[in-house]
Amino acid sequence: MSGPHGTLVGMSAPTPTPVAQRRRPSGLLLVALAGIAWGTIGPAVQLAHQASGLSPSMLGSYRAAAAAFVLLVAAAVAGRLRECWVLGRVHARPALAVGSLTAAFQFFFFLAVVWAGVSVGTVIALGLAPMLLLVLKALRSRAFPRLGELATVAVALTGLLLVSLAGTEVSAAPHPVPGIIAALISGTAFALATDAAVPLSRVLDPFALTVITMIVAAACLVPAGLVVAWVNAEPLGTTDTGSWLMIIYLGVVTMALAYGLLYAGLRTTSSANAVVATLLEPATAVLIAVLFLGDKPTVASSIGFFLIIAAIATLGRRPKRPVADGTPDEVIVPGSD
């Protein structure tokens, strides 16, 4: 239960209860569901782009606008619009940081896949995030990462590499160097946004946090997409009804709902574990391509898919020794012994 400013109440018990312990894997499950939702972005954007001619950056702008609109309506219907406004002002700095970093992640990711190719952009952006968070954790704790943590990240990144690159032709890369730089910026922003969202997710409920940060992200993405489209002389709209329905799906499911799931999951798991769990995104995209778009799986991509699943499965293991502070929000350490 949350207090008047979204702070958690009744979470200061000296020792974790069995109920709190059972909640731990559920956080990873929620993050994994967010990754699955994000895995539908690629196929949906591809279909909308082919039908409408809108650029990926323009589709991303409309997606953000749709998410912000739906969340504002939901907040108004729930009678929480003023509460979200107050909470946004109280936690303005971290909320602005999470929202703007989320926007940067999405914007530069689109640029990376256009400039450097889908495979290269995906591997660099999504692969960089777990490594950065592992380094951040080591710096904060002043301790070298455990072998189990290193093994989990290594297995997940190997799976990502196989799923993204194996058996596919590398997309045309008109601007490879700027594309790689954009992918590096995107991956860094994703890692920092997820890391910054953890403390916020534990003082704000997931709905309020999603409303606040997605409005900030939309405020950044919409003008950015419009500027890019104007500079490149790209169309700003379409008369294709199916494309608008796809944009609504992208905004409601892959942004509003998916980030709500992510923030709910971050309440009981760490940012490092979360970004590994979100690697279900490329795995889901490959599965959709095989099941619905006629792609044929390769041995390497199949191995990569199961490596990602195996790495995520290890994240639910609990340390045998009791936690130091006894809070139910203690991080789950992957591969702890």
Side-chain angles (χ1 to χ4, degrees), residues 133-146 149:
L133 288 174
L134 200 62
V135 172
L136 279 176
K137 181 181 177 182
L139 291 175
R140 288 169 179 166
S141 63
R142 297 182 180 180
F144 193 77
R146 301 187 182 190
E149 293 176 308

Side-chain angles (χ1 to χ4, degrees), residues 38-50:
W38 288 328
T40 66
I41 294 176
V45 168
Q46 181 181 359
L47 293 174
H49 173 66
Q50 292 174 350

Side-chain angles (χ1 to χ4, degrees), residues 29-41:
L29 175 61
L30 292 172
V31 175
L33 290 174
I36 291 173
W38 288 328
T40 66
I41 294 176

Side-chain angles (χ1 to χ4, degrees), residues 6 10 32 44 48 53 88 110 182 202 215 248 255 262 274 306 313 319:
F110 279 126
R202 296 173 186 182
I215 289 174
I248 293 172
M255 195 163 181
L262 173 66
F306 287 108

Side-chain angles (χ1 to χ4, degrees), residues 98-115:
V98 173
S100 57
L101 284 169
T102 299
F105 157 60
Q106 296 182 26
F107 180 77
F108 283 101
F109 183 77
F110 279 126
L111 290 182
V113 298
V114 171
W115 289 344

Side-chain angles (χ1 to χ4, degrees), residues 208-293:
L209 180 54
T210 305
V211 171
I212 296 166
T213 56
M214 290 305 101
I215 289 174
V216 173
C220 299
L221 286 170
V222 171
L226 290 172
V227 169
V228 171
W230 179 75
V231 169
N232 295 327
E234 298 167 345
L236 300 179
T238 178
T239 57
D240 182 64
T241 304
S243 296
W244 287 114
L245 292 175
M246 197 68 72
I247 288 170
I248 293 172
Y249 164 81
L250 287 167
V252 174
V253 176
T254 72
M255 195 163 181
L257 176 61
Y259 275 95
L261 291 170
L262 173 66
Y263 295 148
L266 286 176
R267 301 184 84 176
T268 52
T269 191
S270 70
S271 55
N273 287 354
V275 294
V276 173
T278 57
L279 292 182
L280 274 175
E281 175 184 348
T284 300
V286 168
L287 190 61
I288 291 174
V290 171
L291 295 178
F292 301 106
L293 302 181

